[in-house]
């Protein structure tokens, strides 16, 4: 059985599931490479409009990198793997299509990195996040987490390496959607399916603008958005929008007339 399962839970959606439940879906280098290859194929397939990242079972999204594998490597092998992983993480964050992380259970270390690099994170009361690098004298997610949860929460989570449950993660913005226990998988599919139904050019442009906006002044960000809107707005889409707005206006007028007659 593959350690990275690929399926289509809804039209236009691909779900990539780390299938190593015996080690709490720890991420080996081979799994990370296969994830990268799968995303490369998906990026080139116009029929696929959104992606779900998940872990097998409900115990762990991913407990992080595979420590058994790390223990077998020589210092030179470990350094080479770390350099490769740095590029793989960056490519995952840079993936152009929307990504939903179905955070069912624990996400520690590299599991949290994957989840934070996704666009939308879905969890429930059993979800549990921790960024553990500070325990080992390292640093992870200093470049990204503050844009997700704010500077204060980022400092807290990164410097203390403390774990937060699903309720707190949702309160601080680490989870985008918080559902009832056991509902993570179905909510992630619903979210990804909704994304897949939207015009793909606009969704990709939104993601790109958000990814590359920080650090630019507001006027530049504004102008970039206007330029993108002009590039991707088609006459038939504009006509459809106008027709839809006209329909809403007509409906509101009828409701007002009915209320006045009563």
């Amino acid at each position: 059985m593959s350690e990275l399962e690929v399926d289509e839970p809804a039209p236009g959606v691909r779900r990539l599931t780390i299938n190593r439940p015996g080690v709490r879906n720890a991420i080996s280098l081979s799994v990370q490479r296969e994830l990268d290859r799968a995303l490369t194929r998906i990026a080139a397939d116009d029929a696929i409009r959104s992606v779900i990242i998940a872990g097998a079972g409900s115990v762990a999204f991913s407990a992080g990198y595979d420590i058994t594998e790390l223990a077998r490597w020589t210092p030179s092998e470990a350094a080479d793997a770390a350099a490769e992983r740095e590029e793989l993480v960056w490519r995952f964050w840079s993936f152009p299509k929307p990504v939903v992380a179905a955070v069912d259970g624990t996400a520690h270390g590299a599991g949290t990195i994957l989840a934070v690099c996704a666009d939308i994170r879905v969890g429930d009361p059993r979800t549990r996040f921790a960024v553990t690098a500070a325990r080992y004298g390292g640093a992870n997610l200093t470049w990204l987490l503050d844009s997700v949860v704010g500077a204060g929460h980022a400092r807290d989570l990164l410097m203390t390496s403390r774990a937060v449950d699903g309720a707190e993660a949702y309160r601080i913005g680490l989870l985008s959607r918080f559902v009832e226990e056991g509902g993570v998988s179905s909510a992630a599919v619903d979210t990804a399916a909704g994304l897949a139904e939207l015009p793909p050019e606009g969704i990709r442009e939104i993601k790109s603008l958000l990814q590359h906006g920080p650090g630019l002044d507001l006027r530049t960000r504004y102008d970039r958005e206007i330029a993108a809107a002009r590039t991707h707005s088609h006459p038939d889409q504009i006509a459809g929008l106008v027709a839809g707005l006209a329909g809403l206006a007509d409906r509101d007028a009828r409701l007002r007339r009915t209320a006045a007659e009563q």
Side-chain angles (χ1 to χ4, degrees), residues 100-111:
V100 178
V103 191
D104 206 352
T106 297
H108 282 181

Side-chain angles (χ1 to χ4, degrees), residues 7 15 39 113 117 119 176 193 239 253:
D7 71 325
R15 178 167 52 195
L39 290 171
I113 293 173
C117 286
D119 301 295
S176 314

Side-chain angles (χ1 to χ4, degrees), residues 27-78:
I27 303 169
S28 65
L29 185 55
S30 63
V31 165
Q32 196 168 6
R33 287 169 174 166
E34 182 54 36
L35 176 63
D36 182 68
R37 288 192 290 268
L39 290 171
T40 299
R41 293 191 295 270
I42 290 169
D45 189 340
D46 291 340
I48 305 173
R49 296 190 171 188
S50 64
V51 174
I52 298 171
I53 301 294
S58 59
V59 174
F61 172 72
S62 173
Y65 288 137
D66 188 336
I67 59 174
T68 301
E69 179 180 68
L70 292 172
R72 293 198 305 265
W73 286 337
T74 66
S76 176
E77 290 171 334

Side-chain angles (χ1 to χ4, degrees), residues 12-234:
V13 178
R14 283 294 184 278
R15 178 167 52 195
L16 308 178
T17 302
I18 301 170
N19 187 31
R20 307 185 77 210
V23 289
R24 301 171 69 225
N25 299 317
I27 303 169
S28 65
L29 185 55
S30 63
V31 165
Q32 196 168 6
R33 287 169 174 166
E34 182 54 36
L35 176 63
D36 182 68
R37 288 192 290 268
L39 290 171
T40 299
R41 293 191 295 270
I42 290 169
D45 189 340
D46 291 340
I48 305 173
R49 296 190 171 188
S50 64
V51 174
I52 298 171
I53 301 294
S58 59
V59 174
F61 172 72
S62 173
Y65 288 137
D66 188 336
I67 59 174
T68 301
E69 179 180 68
L70 292 172
R72 293 198 305 265
W73 286 337
T74 66
S76 176
E77 290 171 334
D80 289 343
E84 181 179 354
R85 278 178 154 153
E86 289 163 4
E87 290 305 311
L88 293 175
V89 167
W90 185 257
R91 289 209 293 268
F92 179 70
W93 177 80
S94 303
F95 180 71
K97 298 182 181 182
V99 178
V100 178
V103 191
D104 206 352
T106 297
H108 282 181
T112 299
I113 293 173
L114 277 184
V116 172
C117 286
D119 301 295
I120 297 174
R121 289 160 294 283
V122 180
D124 70 5
R126 296 176 297 103
T127 299
R128 192 171 179 86
F129 287 100
V131 184
T132 55
R135 300 176 189 175
Y136 313 107
N140 285 139
L141 287 174
T142 60
W143 58 282
L144 183 60
L145 188 60
D146 58 345
S147 69
V148 176
V149 301
H153 291 307
R155 288 172 185 266
D156 179 8
L157 297 179
L158 297 181
M159 290 181 175
T160 68
S161 286
R162 71 180 182 89
V164 294
D165 62 20
E168 182 177 1
Y170 181 61
R171 178 178 62 80
I172 66 177
L174 188 50
L175 280 178
S176 314
R177 304 191 180 190
F178 187 59
V179 299
E180 293 183 0
E181 186 171 320
V184 172
S185 180
S186 60
V189 171
D190 289 345
T191 301
L195 289 166
E197 292 174 354
L198 297 172
E201 298 88 353
I203 296 298
R204 293 188 195 186
E205 198 62 56
I206 289 170
K207 179 167 182 173
S208 178
L209 289 168
L210 289 170
Q211 284 176 325
H212 303 293
L216 301 176
D217 64 88
L218 285 179
R219 181 68 205 207
T220 299
R221 297 184 71 174
Y222 179 71
D223 289 342
R224 283 164 56 88
E225 179 183 286
I226 297 301
R230 289 173 177 167
T231 299
H232 296 293
S233 294
H234 301 296

